[in-house]
């Protein structure tokens, strides 16, 4: 038996129960009606209380009748409070059930969509496809590595022979440098000029006098 059937009954033989939205709307309408009834009873209770106070000393019978009516209104108000609590509980439970129903419905719809998407898929074919993709990726990597390697158009050289030839070239260059240095030692010196150098100009008279003074000073010191 579903939750709706427990709350609202089977609805007769073969009868279709109300939808969750309809039931929730009915409960909300009932809550509004009972809330208005509460407000009415609260006003009536206040009125009867004022009548009892007004006739408390003047007309005791009228005051007692007002208090009795007040008690009946208060009893009805308490009953309505309890009924509202029950209706609120029912509405909340129904709203939660409706939410869960929608969630499960959507989950079922999604599950069917996933199943439909997987109907044309074979796990073996998927494995073969992934293996094929992996092989193609490896092949592409090998091709890239091969293309990136430097090529010599089929010519291959022995690296040791190349190093030996380089050593010979360096030794030849060193020998040439030594020969150039040795050849520089045999370069002939320039000839001594045959013409005589110009004579040293005569000292001025002042220089001659200064020299004589120095000679005299030296003799006296000895």
């Amino acid at each position: 038996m579903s939750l709706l059937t427990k709350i609202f009954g089977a609805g007769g033989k073969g009868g279709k129960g109300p939808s969750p939205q309809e039931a929730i709307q009915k409960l909300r309408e009932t809550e509004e009606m009972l809330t208005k009834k509460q407000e009415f009873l609260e006003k009536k209770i206040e009125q009867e209380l004022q009548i009892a106070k007004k006739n408390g000393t003047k007309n005791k019978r009228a005051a007692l009748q007002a208090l009795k009516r007040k008690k009946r209104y208060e009893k009805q108000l308490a009953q309505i409070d309890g009924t509202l609590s029950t209706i609120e509980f029912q509405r909340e439970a129904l709203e939660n059930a409706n939410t869960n129903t929608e969630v499960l419905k959507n989950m079922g719809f999604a599950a069917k969509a996933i199943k439909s998407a997987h109907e044309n898929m074979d796990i073996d074919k998927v494995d073969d496809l992934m293996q094929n993709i992996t092989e193609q990726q490896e092949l592409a990597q090998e091709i890239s590595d091969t293309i990136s390697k430097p090529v010599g158009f089929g010519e291959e050289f022995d690296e040791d022979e190349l190093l030996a030839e380089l050593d010979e070239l360096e030794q030849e260059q060193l020998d040439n440098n030594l020969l150039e240095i040795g050849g520089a030692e045999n370069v002939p010196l320039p000839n001594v000029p045959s013409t005589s150098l110009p004579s040293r100009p005569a000292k001025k008279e002042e220089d001659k006098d200064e020299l004589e003074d120095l000679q005299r000073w030296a003799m006296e010191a000895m």
Side-chain angles (χ1 to χ4, degrees):
M1 184 180 292
S2 65
L3 178 62
L4 295 179
T5 304
K6 291 180 180 179
I7 296 176
F8 299 100
K13 253 185 186 179
K16 186 178 180 181
S19 66
Q21 291 79 6
E22 292 175 347
I24 291 172
Q25 183 61 32
K26 289 291 184 181
L27 289 175
R28 285 176 178 170
E29 292 175 358
T30 303
E31 284 183 86
E32 292 178 1
M33 179 189 66
L34 292 176
T35 300
K36 292 180 180 179
K37 183 69 173 179
Q38 275 183 324
E39 294 174 356
F40 172 78
L41 290 174
E42 287 173 353
K43 291 179 180 179
K44 295 296 291 183
I45 290 171
E46 182 64 25
Q47 290 176 0
E48 297 301 333
L49 181 61
Q50 294 299 325
I51 293 173
K53 290 180 179 180
K54 182 179 180 180
N55 296 301
T57 56
K58 299 178 181 179
N59 190 344
K60 185 177 287 187
R61 182 180 178 186
L64 290 174
Q65 291 296 327
L67 290 175
K68 288 180 181 180
R69 290 192 297 270
K70 173 178 169 294
K71 290 293 184 183
R72 288 198 304 269
Y73 294 148
E74 287 176 347
K75 185 177 180 180
Q76 293 179 28
L77 185 60
Q79 291 174 346
I80 290 175
D81 289 339
T83 303
L84 276 174
S85 296
T86 302
I87 290 176
E88 287 176 359
F89 171 78
Q90 287 180 322
R91 178 175 55 78
E92 291 173 358
L94 187 56
E95 288 174 345
N96 291 334
N98 185 42
T99 301
N100 294 333
T101 300
E102 291 297 323
V103 170
L104 291 174
K105 186 189 297 183
N106 294 332
M107 291 176 66
F109 181 78
K112 290 179 181 178
I114 295 174
K115 182 179 180 181
S116 176
H118 290 165
E119 281 181 354
N120 298 325
M121 290 187 182
D122 185 356
I123 187 62
D124 295 331
K125 292 181 179 180
V126 173
D127 289 338
D128 294 339
L129 177 61
M130 295 306 298
Q131 185 176 359
N132 188 22
I133 292 174
T134 302
E135 292 176 355
Q136 294 301 320
Q137 288 178 343
E138 292 176 354
L139 178 60
Q141 185 63 41
E142 291 178 1
I143 294 173
S144 298
D145 294 341
T146 303
I147 293 174
S148 63
K149 290 180 180 179
V151 295
F153 302 101
E155 297 181 359
E156 295 183 358
F157 302 99
D158 188 352
E159 187 174 354
D160 293 336
E161 293 181 0
L162 295 175
L163 291 174
E165 184 177 353
L166 180 60
D167 291 339
E168 292 178 0
L169 293 174
E170 291 177 352
Q171 185 63 40
E172 182 180 352
Q173 182 65 32
L174 179 60
D175 294 341
N176 291 333
N177 292 338
L178 292 175
L179 290 175
E180 291 177 359
I181 295 173
E185 295 177 354
N186 299 324
V187 175
L189 296 175
N191 296 326
V192 177
S194 59
T195 58
S196 61
L197 295 174
S199 60
R200 184 176 181 182
K203 289 180 176 281
K204 292 182 180 181
E205 192 67 27
E206 294 178 359
D207 294 337
K208 185 177 180 181
D209 294 341
E210 185 178 355
L211 180 59
E212 292 176 355
D213 292 338
L214 289 173
Q215 289 176 350
R216 283 197 302 270
W217 178 81
M219 292 295 293
E220 291 175 358
M222 291 176 64

